[in-house]
Amino acid sequence: MSIKTIVVVVVAVLLTIVLMQNTDEVYFKFLFSTFRVSKLMMMLVVAVTGFVLGLIVAWPKKQKFDIGGYHDAIHDKNNPDTLSDEDREYIN
């Protein structure tokens, strides 16, 4: 078992314990309304929202490559001879 898996399991167990200890009702104000909601539900919604936002932020982005710029940087248009001095020595 990897350390990452162990940490995820421990955090999940601790989160479950905290959620189960907080089952009383609380008043929740959202904009101009007041709701009576279980503390368990509010904490669960906050935890899930935080998890989803963390996934969105950590999601790898596709990298865009400038193939034309890369090709132009390697092959200088002003110098048609692209051999290095080392390659010229080897050929001769």
Side-chain angles (χ1 to χ4, degrees):
M1 219 187 237
S2 70
I3 292 180
K4 184 178 178 181
T5 305
I6 293 170
V7 169
V8 168
V9 169
V10 168
V11 168
V13 168
L14 290 175
L15 182 63
T16 303
I17 291 170
V18 169
L19 290 175
M20 291 303 155
Q21 289 177 345
N22 293 294
T23 57
D24 50 333
E25 287 189 351
V26 293
Y27 289 100
F28 178 72
K29 293 182 182 179
F30 181 72
L31 297 177
F32 304 108
S33 304
T34 303
F35 301 100
R36 210 169 136 187
V37 183
S38 169
K39 206 187 284 186
L40 169 70
M41 288 306 296
M42 281 311 303
M43 292 176 72
L44 188 61
V45 167
V46 169
V48 169
T49 304
F51 180 76
V52 169
L53 287 176
L55 283 178
I56 291 171
V57 169
W59 202 266
K61 295 179 176 78
K62 289 185 177 181
Q63 296 180 352
K64 295 181 181 178
F65 295 104
D66 182 18
I67 300 298
Y70 178 74
H71 183 268
D72 293 343
I74 291 177
H75 303 290
D76 186 13
K77 291 181 181 181
N78 297 331
N79 184 8
D81 185 19
T82 58
L83 289 176
S84 67
D85 293 334
E86 195 175 296
D87 290 339
R88 265 192 223 94
E89 263 184 50
Y90 179 74
I91 290 172
N92 292 330

